[in-house]
Amino acid sequence: DAKTTQPPSMDCAEGRAANLPCNHSTISGNEYVYWYRQIHSQGPQYIIHGLKNNETNEMASLIITEDRKSSTLILPHATLRDTAVYYCIVRQNRDDKIIFGKGTRLHILP
Amino acid sequence: KAGVTQTPRYLIKTRGQQVTLSCSPISGHRSVSWYQQTPGQGLQFLFEYFSETQRNKGNFPGRFSGRQFSNSRSEMNVSTLELGDSALYLCASSLLGQGTGELFFGEGSRLTVL
């Protein structure tokens, strides 16, 4: 079973930052937080991952709380192409199987 | 560099038949995972293969099986098809033990069981 809880849907205005929360209160010390997204009718796409520290790449930023029980994915300037289902996943290491939950359906509003 | 290729993209079968789906991973990737996606259950993990061996398995009945060949290409088979097997079947490849552990997904094979 997925070990994360995410809101089922969110709206964000185009051009604004989209902040997607994820709760993983039972995460253990050696588990990573991964984010993927799935645009309609396509396979999921990797976005970012982290262990303890905040991470940033060309797509997004990942903020992990100090107690590691929750995290937030930030898309700094959302566009219509960011409309997708976003999945937050915890996995023990990079070779562990990935179990997807229900994800958050993000709607970007023009 | 070619991505993950799945064939066929679409197929229609009837109850009781069997189906075989194929997945060619990214060149150099030796891990292949399979997922079933339905509107009701979301993305569910089926199994993962690495170097021709099943490394992980999800909670699916024995009607769902898979294998991996020496060139890392993988097939999954579903026997005695049921209406509930209608779904998008996604394959993903990865470089085990290297990089970010990122999965690269194919476009999927959409199976309709009538």
Side-chain angles (χ1 to χ4, degrees), chain B residues 64-85:
Chain B
F64 292 81
S65 63
R67 60 177 175 169
Q68 187 179 33
F69 302 95
S70 58
N71 62 358
S72 295
R73 189 178 71 84
S74 177
E75 288 182 348
M76 67 161 284
N77 183 276
V78 187
S79 61
T80 320
L81 284 166
E82 301 176 359
L83 295 179
D85 297 332

Side-chain angles (χ1 to χ4, degrees), chain A residues 34 36 38 44 91 94-95 98, chain B residues 35 37 55 97 100-101 103:
Chain A
Y34 276 75
Y36 279 74
Q38 186 175 23
R91 62 195 298 213
R94 60 189 173 193
D95 295 340
I98 289 187
Chain B
Y35 290 82
Q37 186 167 33
R55 214 170 73 93
T100 63
L103 288 182

Side-chain angles (χ1 to χ4, degrees), chain A:
Chain A
D1 288 341
K3 297 174 66 173
T4 61
T5 304
Q6 299 176 253
S9 67
M10 290 184 62
D11 292 339
C12 178
E14 190 176 17
R16 304 297 294 268
N19 296 283
L20 293 95
C22 179
N23 183 291
H24 30 80
S25 57
T26 61
I27 194 170
S28 57
N30 60 350
E31 287 184 315
Y32 291 77
V33 179
Y34 276 75
W35 284 83
Y36 279 74
R37 74 178 182 183
Q38 186 175 23
I39 296 170
H40 183 62
S41 299
Q42 297 181 18
Q45 174 192 24
Y46 165 84
I47 301 173
I48 199 168
H49 78 286
L51 182 62
K52 294 180 187 177
N53 301 319
N54 299 336
E55 302 287 344
T56 296
N57 63 20
E58 65 278 4
M59 286 183 69
S61 295
L62 174 60
I63 309 297
I64 302 174
T65 58
E66 195 166 336
D67 63 8
R68 303 208 326 120
K69 292 186 177 183
S70 65
S71 61
T72 301
L73 178 75
I74 301 172
L75 307 177
H77 304 288
T79 71
L80 295 176
R81 286 177 293 182
D82 293 321
T83 295
V85 178
Y86 287 77
Y87 297 96
C88 169
I89 298 145
V90 297
R91 62 195 298 213
Q92 203 156 43
N93 56 57
R94 60 189 173 193
D95 295 340
D96 195 15
K97 63 186 177 190
I98 289 187
I99 304 299
F100 289 85
K102 299 293 187 186
T104 295
R105 186 171 296 277
L106 177 65
H107 301 275
I108 304 300
L109 308 175

